[in-house]
Every structure is written in C-alpha cells, then in structure tokens.
Amino acid sequence: APRFSVRVESMLGQIGSGSLPVERLPSAGLAIAPVNKKGNGRALDELTTALRRLPLPVIGRVSEDRLLLDLRCLERPEALRDQLPLLRDALA
C-alpha cells in the first residue's frame, strides 16, 4: 500500500487476437500506479514480475505509467484476493 495507489477504472478489452482485433467489450479493472513518480518504471517492473511469479500468475498491461488489470475474465476473485499476502511479501 505505501508504494502503490489502486483505483477502479472503466476499461475496454479487446476481443480475439491476430493482427487487428477490432471488437471491444466494456469492462472494469484496477489501475495500479507507483506513488513515487521517481523510479516508477522500476517499481512497475517489480510489481509485474511479482504478479507473474504468484502460484496463480496475474498478467496485466502497463499503460501511462500504470499497471492495468482488466477484471472481465476474472472467474474467481477469491483466488486473486488470497494471493495478496504473497504479493505483499514479494514486494517488501
């Protein structure tokens, strides 16, 4: 908590794959930003690495100095919530 701020934001997720996915679905997600702007790239790298190394990896995308986690496909919120202590320890 002291290193990052978290906001709920509206998002648009892409449907499909390939070179030109054109359809978008409205969604909501978490926008996580480093509190300290100095060194924010390093902080985001540490956060994304820690999330990927969780037992159930969490993948987001970095945009405008924030990590965006689109929750549209999150089937079991408790699976993410239960890993938060592990994430806290990894970032300590």
Side-chain angles (χ1 to χ4, degrees), residues 7-12 28-33 44 47-48 51 58-71:
R7 292 183 35 189
V8 175
E9 291 193 5
S10 297
M11 298 185 179
L12 289 174
L30 303 176
I32 306 169
L44 286 172
L47 177 59
T48 58
L51 285 164
V58 176
I59 308 297
R61 64 182 169 91
V62 174
S63 176
E64 298 176 3
D65 296 327
R66 303 174 302 158
L67 174 64
L68 303 177
L69 300 177
D70 189 333
L71 302 179

Side-chain angles (χ1 to χ4, degrees), residues 7-81:
R7 292 183 35 189
V8 175
E9 291 193 5
S10 297
M11 298 185 179
L12 289 174
Q14 292 181 334
I15 301 172
S17 60
S19 62
L20 292 173
V22 294
E23 297 295 324
R24 293 182 166 265
L25 282 178
S27 181
L30 303 176
I32 306 169
V35 172
N36 187 354
K37 297 302 176 193
K38 183 177 179 182
N40 65 351
R42 186 181 70 232
L44 286 172
D45 286 344
E46 290 174 16
L47 177 59
T48 58
T49 298
L51 285 164
R52 284 193 307 266
R53 289 183 176 163
L54 291 171
L56 182 61
V58 176
I59 308 297
R61 64 182 169 91
V62 174
S63 176
E64 298 176 3
D65 296 327
R66 303 174 302 158
L67 174 64
L68 303 177
L69 300 177
D70 189 333
L71 302 179
R72 181 173 53 93
C73 297
L74 182 62
E75 294 178 3
R76 297 181 311 131
E78 67 278 0
L80 176 60
R81 182 197 65 222

